[in-house]
mmCIF file with all atom_site columns, all heavy atoms in Angstrom:
data_model
loop_
_atom_site.group_PDB
_atom_site.id
_atom_site.type_symbol
_atom_site.label_atom_id
_atom_site.label_alt_id
_atom_site.label_comp_id
_atom_site.label_asym_id
_atom_site.label_entity_id
_atom_site.label_seq_id
_atom_site.pdbx_PDB_ins_code
_atom_site.Cartn_x
_atom_site.Cartn_y
_atom_site.Cartn_z
_atom_site.occupancy
_atom_site.B_iso_or_equiv
_atom_site.pdbx_formal_charge
_atom_site.auth_seq_id
_atom_site.auth_comp_id
_atom_site.auth_asym_id
_atom_site.auth_atom_id
_atom_site.pdbx_PDB_model_num
ATOM 1   N N   . LEU R 1 195 ? -15.916 20.878 -78.973 1.00 91.00 ? 217 LEU R N   1
ATOM 2   C CA  . LEU R 1 195 ? -16.394 22.139 -78.417 1.00 91.00 ? 217 LEU R CA  1
ATOM 3   C C   . LEU R 1 195 ? -15.227 23.103 -78.181 1.00 91.00 ? 217 LEU R C   1
ATOM 4   O O   . LEU R 1 195 ? -14.253 22.746 -77.513 1.00 91.00 ? 217 LEU R O   1
ATOM 5   C CB  . LEU R 1 195 ? -17.139 21.878 -77.106 1.00 91.00 ? 217 LEU R CB  1
ATOM 6   C CG  . LEU R 1 195 ? -17.731 23.103 -76.397 1.00 91.00 ? 217 LEU R CG  1
ATOM 7   C CD1 . LEU R 1 195 ? -18.774 23.780 -77.281 1.00 91.00 ? 217 LEU R CD1 1
ATOM 8   C CD2 . LEU R 1 195 ? -18.353 22.707 -75.074 1.00 91.00 ? 217 LEU R CD2 1
ATOM 9   N N   . ASN R 1 196 ? -15.335 24.313 -78.715 1.00 89.00 ? 218 ASN R N   1
ATOM 10  C CA  . ASN R 1 196 ? -14.324 25.354 -78.514 1.00 89.00 ? 218 ASN R CA  1
ATOM 11  C C   . ASN R 1 196 ? -15.024 26.702 -78.486 1.00 89.00 ? 218 ASN R C   1
ATOM 12  O O   . ASN R 1 196 ? -15.121 27.397 -79.496 1.00 89.00 ? 218 ASN R O   1
ATOM 13  C CB  . ASN R 1 196 ? -13.269 25.304 -79.621 1.00 89.00 ? 218 ASN R CB  1
ATOM 14  C CG  . ASN R 1 196 ? -12.147 26.309 -79.384 1.00 89.00 ? 218 ASN R CG  1
ATOM 15  O OD1 . ASN R 1 196 ? -11.992 26.829 -78.290 1.00 89.00 ? 218 ASN R OD1 1
ATOM 16  N ND2 . ASN R 1 196 ? -11.386 26.593 -80.430 1.00 89.00 ? 218 ASN R ND2 1
ATOM 17  N N   . ASP R 1 197 ? -15.556 27.049 -77.326 1.00 93.00 ? 219 ASP R N   1
ATOM 18  C CA  . ASP R 1 197 ? -16.307 28.285 -77.158 1.00 93.00 ? 219 ASP R CA  1
ATOM 19  C C   . ASP R 1 197 ? -15.835 28.957 -75.873 1.00 93.00 ? 219 ASP R C   1
ATOM 20  O O   . ASP R 1 197 ? -16.098 28.454 -74.773 1.00 93.00 ? 219 ASP R O   1
ATOM 21  C CB  . ASP R 1 197 ? -17.803 27.990 -77.093 1.00 93.00 ? 219 ASP R CB  1
ATOM 22  C CG  . ASP R 1 197 ? -18.665 29.242 -77.070 1.00 93.00 ? 219 ASP R CG  1
ATOM 23  O OD1 . ASP R 1 197 ? -18.158 30.309 -76.662 1.00 93.00 ? 219 ASP R OD1 1
ATOM 24  O OD2 . ASP R 1 197 ? -19.846 29.158 -77.460 1.00 93.00 ? 219 ASP R OD2 1
ATOM 25  N N   . PRO R 1 198 ? -15.132 30.097 -75.961 1.00 93.00 ? 220 PRO R N   1
ATOM 26  C CA  . PRO R 1 198 ? -14.560 30.744 -74.758 1.00 93.00 ? 220 PRO R CA  1
ATOM 27  C C   . PRO R 1 198 ? -15.609 31.265 -73.791 1.00 93.00 ? 220 PRO R C   1
ATOM 28  O O   . PRO R 1 198 ? -15.273 31.591 -72.643 1.00 93.00 ? 220 PRO R O   1
ATOM 29  C CB  . PRO R 1 198 ? -13.728 31.887 -75.350 1.00 93.00 ? 220 PRO R CB  1
ATOM 30  C CG  . PRO R 1 198 ? -14.326 32.146 -76.699 1.00 93.00 ? 220 PRO R CG  1
ATOM 31  C CD  . PRO R 1 198 ? -14.808 30.826 -77.191 1.00 93.00 ? 220 PRO R CD  1
ATOM 32  N N   . THR R 1 199 ? -16.864 31.362 -74.218 1.00 94.00 ? 221 THR R N   1
ATOM 33  C CA  . THR R 1 199 ? -17.912 31.841 -73.316 1.00 94.00 ? 221 THR R CA  1
ATOM 34  C C   . THR R 1 199 ? -18.516 30.715 -72.487 1.00 94.00 ? 221 THR R C   1
ATOM 35  O O   . THR R 1 199 ? -19.307 30.983 -71.581 1.00 94.00 ? 221 THR R O   1
ATOM 36  C CB  . THR R 1 199 ? -19.038 32.528 -74.109 1.00 94.00 ? 221 THR R CB  1
ATOM 37  O OG1 . THR R 1 199 ? -19.729 31.555 -74.904 1.00 94.00 ? 221 THR R OG1 1
ATOM 38  C CG2 . THR R 1 199 ? -18.484 33.620 -75.015 1.00 94.00 ? 221 THR R CG2 1
ATOM 39  N N   . LEU R 1 200 ? -18.138 29.484 -72.812 1.00 96.00 ? 222 LEU R N   1
ATOM 40  C CA  . LEU R 1 200 ? -18.706 28.331 -72.114 1.00 96.00 ? 222 LEU R CA  1
ATOM 41  C C   . LEU R 1 200 ? -17.623 27.608 -71.310 1.00 96.00 ? 222 LEU R C   1
ATOM 42  O O   . LEU R 1 200 ? -16.418 27.777 -71.575 1.00 96.00 ? 222 LEU R O   1
ATOM 43  C CB  . LEU R 1 200 ? -19.321 27.356 -73.122 1.00 96.00 ? 222 LEU R CB  1
ATOM 44  C CG  . LEU R 1 200 ? -20.528 27.851 -73.910 1.00 96.00 ? 222 LEU R CG  1
ATOM 45  C CD1 . LEU R 1 200 ? -20.962 26.805 -74.926 1.00 96.00 ? 222 LEU R CD1 1
ATOM 46  C CD2 . LEU R 1 200 ? -21.683 28.196 -72.976 1.00 96.00 ? 222 LEU R CD2 1
ATOM 47  N N   . PRO R 1 201 ? -18.018 26.801 -70.331 1.00 97.00 ? 223 PRO R N   1
ATOM 48  C CA  . PRO R 1 201 ? -17.032 26.007 -69.596 1.00 97.00 ? 223 PRO R CA  1
ATOM 49  C C   . PRO R 1 201 ? -16.241 25.096 -70.526 1.00 97.00 ? 223 PRO R C   1
ATOM 50  O O   . PRO R 1 201 ? -16.755 24.623 -71.546 1.00 97.00 ? 223 PRO R O   1
ATOM 51  C CB  . PRO R 1 201 ? -17.898 25.192 -68.626 1.00 97.00 ? 223 PRO R CB  1
ATOM 52  C CG  . PRO R 1 201 ? -19.143 25.998 -68.463 1.00 97.00 ? 223 PRO R CG  1
ATOM 53  C CD  . PRO R 1 201 ? -19.388 26.622 -69.804 1.00 97.00 ? 223 PRO R CD  1
ATOM 54  N N   . THR R 1 202 ? -14.979 24.878 -70.173 1.00 95.00 ? 224 THR R N   1
ATOM 55  C CA  . THR R 1 202 ? -14.169 23.904 -70.906 1.00 95.00 ? 224 THR R CA  1
ATOM 56  C C   . THR R 1 202 ? -14.333 22.545 -70.251 1.00 95.00 ? 224 THR R C   1
ATOM 57  O O   . THR R 1 202 ? -14.487 22.441 -69.020 1.00 95.00 ? 224 THR R O   1
ATOM 58  C CB  . THR R 1 202 ? -12.685 24.288 -70.917 1.00 95.00 ? 224 THR R CB  1
ATOM 59  O OG1 . THR R 1 202 ? -12.211 24.365 -69.564 1.00 95.00 ? 224 THR R OG1 1
ATOM 60  C CG2 . THR R 1 202 ? -12.478 25.627 -71.604 1.00 95.00 ? 224 THR R CG2 1
ATOM 61  N N   . VAL R 1 203 ? -14.310 21.494 -71.068 1.00 95.00 ? 225 VAL R N   1
ATOM 62  C CA  . VAL R 1 203 ? -14.520 20.131 -70.584 1.00 95.00 ? 225 VAL R CA  1
ATOM 63  C C   . VAL R 1 203 ? -13.443 19.237 -71.180 1.00 95.00 ? 225 VAL R C   1
ATOM 64  O O   . VAL R 1 203 ? -13.264 19.205 -72.405 1.00 95.00 ? 225 VAL R O   1
ATOM 65  C CB  . VAL R 1 203 ? -15.915 19.595 -70.984 1.00 95.00 ? 225 VAL R CB  1
ATOM 66  C CG1 . VAL R 1 203 ? -16.136 18.205 -70.393 1.00 95.00 ? 225 VAL R CG1 1
ATOM 67  C CG2 . VAL R 1 203 ? -17.021 20.545 -70.529 1.00 95.00 ? 225 VAL R CG2 1
ATOM 68  N N   . ALA R 1 204 ? -12.734 18.510 -70.333 1.00 92.00 ? 226 ALA R N   1
ATOM 69  C CA  . ALA R 1 204 ? -11.714 17.591 -70.814 1.00 92.00 ? 226 ALA R CA  1
ATOM 70  C C   . ALA R 1 204 ? -12.359 16.456 -71.596 1.00 92.00 ? 226 ALA R C   1
ATOM 71  O O   . ALA R 1 204 ? -13.516 16.095 -71.358 1.00 92.00 ? 226 ALA R O   1
ATOM 72  C CB  . ALA R 1 204 ? -10.905 17.037 -69.641 1.00 92.00 ? 226 ALA R CB  1
ATOM 73  N N   . THR R 1 205 ? -11.611 15.873 -72.526 1.00 93.00 ? 227 THR R N   1
ATOM 74  C CA  . THR R 1 205 ? -12.144 14.798 -73.363 1.00 93.00 ? 227 THR R CA  1
ATOM 75  C C   . THR R 1 205 ? -11.638 13.430 -72.962 1.00 93.00 ? 227 THR R C   1
ATOM 76  O O   . THR R 1 205 ? -11.996 12.430 -73.592 1.00 93.00 ? 227 THR R O   1
ATOM 77  C CB  . THR R 1 205 ? -11.792 15.050 -74.837 1.00 93.00 ? 227 THR R CB  1
ATOM 78  O OG1 . THR R 1 205 ? -10.370 15.186 -74.959 1.00 93.00 ? 227 THR R OG1 1
ATOM 79  C CG2 . THR R 1 205 ? -12.471 16.308 -75.339 1.00 93.00 ? 227 THR R CG2 1
ATOM 80  N N   . ALA R 1 206 ? -10.809 13.347 -71.910 1.00 90.00 ? 228 ALA R N   1
ATOM 81  C CA  . ALA R 1 206 ? -10.368 12.036 -71.437 1.00 90.00 ? 228 ALA R CA  1
ATOM 82  C C   . ALA R 1 206 ? -11.547 11.312 -70.813 1.00 90.00 ? 228 ALA R C   1
ATOM 83  O O   . ALA R 1 206 ? -12.313 11.901 -70.042 1.00 90.00 ? 228 ALA R O   1
ATOM 84  C CB  . ALA R 1 206 ? -9.245  12.189 -70.418 1.00 90.00 ? 228 ALA R CB  1
ATOM 85  N N   . VAL R 1 207 ? -11.716 10.034 -71.152 1.00 90.00 ? 229 VAL R N   1
ATOM 86  C CA  . VAL R 1 207 ? -12.807 9.246  -70.585 1.00 90.00 ? 229 VAL R CA  1
ATOM 87  C C   . VAL R 1 207 ? -12.209 8.111  -69.764 1.00 90.00 ? 229 VAL R C   1
ATOM 88  O O   . VAL R 1 207 ? -11.024 7.817  -69.835 1.00 90.00 ? 229 VAL R O   1
ATOM 89  C CB  . VAL R 1 207 ? -13.725 8.681  -71.690 1.00 90.00 ? 229 VAL R CB  1
ATOM 90  C CG1 . VAL R 1 207 ? -14.330 9.811  -72.498 1.00 90.00 ? 229 VAL R CG1 1
ATOM 91  C CG2 . VAL R 1 207 ? -12.971 7.729  -72.603 1.00 90.00 ? 229 VAL R CG2 1
ATOM 92  N N   . GLY R 1 208 ? -13.051 7.481  -68.974 1.00 82.00 ? 230 GLY R N   1
ATOM 93  C CA  . GLY R 1 208 ? -12.580 6.387  -68.123 1.00 82.00 ? 230 GLY R CA  1
ATOM 94  C C   . GLY R 1 208 ? -12.929 6.641  -66.680 1.00 82.00 ? 230 GLY R C   1
ATOM 95  O O   . GLY R 1 208 ? -14.012 7.130  -66.370 1.00 82.00 ? 230 GLY R O   1
ATOM 96  N N   . LYS R 1 209 ? -12.005 6.361  -65.768 1.00 76.00 ? 231 LYS R N   1
ATOM 97  C CA  . LYS R 1 209 ? -12.296 6.439  -64.343 1.00 76.00 ? 231 LYS R CA  1
ATOM 98  C C   . LYS R 1 209 ? -12.250 7.856  -63.795 1.00 76.00 ? 231 LYS R C   1
ATOM 99  O O   . LYS R 1 209 ? -12.808 8.141  -62.737 1.00 76.00 ? 231 LYS R O   1
ATOM 100 C CB  . LYS R 1 209 ? -11.308 5.563  -63.569 1.00 76.00 ? 231 LYS R CB  1
ATOM 101 C CG  . LYS R 1 209 ? -11.448 4.081  -63.864 1.00 76.00 ? 231 LYS R CG  1
ATOM 102 C CD  . LYS R 1 209 ? -10.496 3.257  -63.004 1.00 76.00 ? 231 LYS R CD  1
ATOM 103 C CE  . LYS R 1 209 ? -10.674 1.768  -63.290 1.00 76.00 ? 231 LYS R CE  1
ATOM 104 N NZ  . LYS R 1 209 ? -9.760  0.938  -62.481 1.00 76.00 ? 231 LYS R NZ  1
ATOM 105 N N   . ASP R 1 210 ? -11.572 8.774  -64.481 1.00 77.00 ? 232 ASP R N   1
ATOM 106 C CA  . ASP R 1 210 ? -11.445 10.131 -63.961 1.00 77.00 ? 232 ASP R CA  1
ATOM 107 C C   . ASP R 1 210 ? -12.682 10.966 -64.265 1.00 77.00 ? 232 ASP R C   1
ATOM 108 O O   . ASP R 1 210 ? -13.431 10.681 -65.199 1.00 77.00 ? 232 ASP R O   1
ATOM 109 C CB  . ASP R 1 210 ? -10.218 10.813 -64.571 1.00 77.00 ? 232 ASP R CB  1
ATOM 110 C CG  . ASP R 1 210 ? -8.920  10.135 -64.160 1.00 77.00 ? 232 ASP R CG  1
ATOM 111 O OD1 . ASP R 1 210 ? -8.891  9.564  -63.047 1.00 77.00 ? 232 ASP R OD1 1
ATOM 112 O OD2 . ASP R 1 210 ? -7.957  10.171 -64.943 1.00 77.00 ? 232 ASP R OD2 1
ATOM 113 N N   . ASP R 1 211 ? -12.867 12.048 -63.464 1.00 83.00 ? 233 ASP R N   1
ATOM 114 C CA  . ASP R 1 211 ? -13.968 12.951 -63.755 1.00 83.00 ? 233 ASP R CA  1
ATOM 115 C C   . ASP R 1 211 ? -13.621 13.776 -64.998 1.00 83.00 ? 233 ASP R C   1
ATOM 116 O O   . ASP R 1 211 ? -12.472 13.803 -65.445 1.00 83.00 ? 233 ASP R O   1
ATOM 117 C CB  . ASP R 1 211 ? -14.276 13.842 -62.548 1.00 83.00 ? 233 ASP R CB  1
ATOM 118 C CG  . ASP R 1 211 ? -13.152 14.816 -62.219 1.00 83.00 ? 233 ASP R CG  1
ATOM 119 O OD1 . ASP R 1 211 ? -12.584 15.399 -63.164 1.00 83.00 ? 233 ASP R OD1 1
ATOM 120 O OD2 . ASP R 1 211 ? -12.854 15.003 -61.034 1.00 83.00 ? 233 ASP R OD2 1
ATOM 121 N N   . PRO R 1 212 ? -14.618 14.457 -65.587 1.00 89.00 ? 234 PRO R N   1
ATOM 122 C CA  . PRO R 1 212 ? -14.378 15.124 -66.872 1.00 89.00 ? 234 PRO R CA  1
ATOM 123 C C   . PRO R 1 212 ? -13.654 16.467 -66.788 1.00 89.00 ? 234 PRO R C   1
ATOM 124 O O   . PRO R 1 212 ? -13.458 17.121 -67.806 1.00 89.00 ? 234 PRO R O   1
ATOM 125 C CB  . PRO R 1 212 ? -15.788 15.313 -67.427 1.00 89.00 ? 234 PRO R CB  1
ATOM 126 C CG  . PRO R 1 212 ? -16.666 15.334 -66.250 1.00 89.00 ? 234 PRO R CG  1
ATOM 127 C CD  . PRO R 1 212 ? -16.041 14.431 -65.236 1.00 89.00 ? 234 PRO R CD  1
ATOM 128 N N   . LYS R 1 213 ? -13.270 16.914 -65.587 1.00 91.00 ? 235 LYS R N   1
ATOM 129 C CA  . LYS R 1 213 ? -12.469 18.136 -65.421 1.00 91.00 ? 235 LYS R CA  1
ATOM 130 C C   . LYS R 1 213 ? -13.093 19.326 -66.140 1.00 91.00 ? 235 LYS R C   1
ATOM 131 O O   . LYS R 1 213 ? -12.677 19.735 -67.220 1.00 91.00 ? 235 LYS R O   1
ATOM 132 C CB  . LYS R 1 213 ? -11.024 17.902 -65.890 1.00 91.00 ? 235 LYS R CB  1
ATOM 133 C CG  . LYS R 1 213 ? -10.277 16.884 -65.037 1.00 91.00 ? 235 LYS R CG  1
ATOM 134 C CD  . LYS R 1 213 ? -8.854  16.680 -65.515 1.00 91.00 ? 235 LYS R CD  1
ATOM 135 C CE  . LYS R 1 213 ? -8.088  15.759 -64.566 1.00 91.00 ? 235 LYS R CE  1
ATOM 136 N NZ  . LYS R 1 213 ? -8.705  14.433 -64.454 1.00 91.00 ? 235 LYS R NZ  1
ATOM 137 N N   . VAL R 1 214 ? -14.081 19.901 -65.486 1.00 95.00 ? 236 VAL R N   1
ATOM 138 C CA  . VAL R 1 214 ? -14.823 21.045 -66.016 1.00 95.00 ? 236 VAL R CA  1
ATOM 139 C C   . VAL R 1 214 ? -14.268 22.329 -65.407 1.00 95.00 ? 236 VAL R C   1
ATOM 140 O O   . VAL R 1 214 ? -14.061 22.414 -64.194 1.00 95.00 ? 236 VAL R O   1
ATOM 141 C CB  . VAL R 1 214 ? -16.321 20.917 -65.686 1.00 95.00 ? 236 VAL R CB  1
ATOM 142 C CG1 . VAL R 1 214 ? -17.101 22.087 -66.272 1.00 95.00 ? 236 VAL R CG1 1
ATOM 143 C CG2 . VAL R 1 214 ? -16.866 19.594 -66.200 1.00 95.00 ? 236 VAL R CG2 1
ATOM 144 N N   . THR R 1 215 ? -14.043 23.343 -66.231 1.00 95.00 ? 237 THR R N   1
ATOM 145 C CA  . THR R 1 215 ? -13.552 24.644 -65.762 1.00 95.00 ? 237 THR R CA  1
ATOM 146 C C   . THR R 1 215 ? -14.512 25.736 -66.205 1.00 95.00 ? 237 THR R C   1
ATOM 147 O O   . THR R 1 215 ? -14.760 25.907 -67.404 1.00 95.00 ? 237 THR R O   1
ATOM 148 C CB  . THR R 1 215 ? -12.150 24.942 -66.316 1.00 95.00 ? 237 THR R CB  1
ATOM 149 O OG1 . THR R 1 215 ? -11.265 23.890 -65.949 1.00 95.00 ? 237 THR R OG1 1
ATOM 150 C CG2 . THR R 1 215 ? -11.630 26.262 -65.759 1.00 95.00 ? 237 THR R CG2 1
ATOM 151 N N   . ILE R 1 216 ? -15.066 26.478 -65.239 1.00 96.00 ? 238 ILE R N   1
ATOM 152 C CA  . ILE R 1 216 ? -15.966 27.587 -65.537 1.00 96.00 ? 238 ILE R CA  1
ATOM 153 C C   . ILE R 1 216 ? -15.123 28.779 -65.991 1.00 96.00 ? 238 ILE R C   1
ATOM 154 O O   . ILE R 1 216 ? -14.112 29.101 -65.360 1.00 96.00 ? 238 ILE R O   1
ATOM 155 C CB  . ILE R 1 216 ? -16.798 27.973 -64.303 1.00 96.00 ? 238 ILE R CB  1
ATOM 156 C CG1 . ILE R 1 216 ? -17.505 26.748 -63.704 1.00 96.00 ? 238 ILE R CG1 1
ATOM 157 C CG2 . ILE R 1 216 ? -17.799 29.069 -64.660 1.00 96.00 ? 238 ILE R CG2 1
ATOM 158 C CD1 . ILE R 1 216 ? -18.510 26.096 -64.591 1.00 96.00 ? 238 ILE R CD1 1
#
Side-chain angles (χ1 to χ4, degrees):
L217 181 62
N218 184 16
D219 186 336
T221 68
L222 295 176
T224 59
V225 183
T227 56
V229 300
K231 295 183 179 180
D232 295 331
D233 66 42
K235 295 180 175 60
V236 182
T237 303
I238 308 297

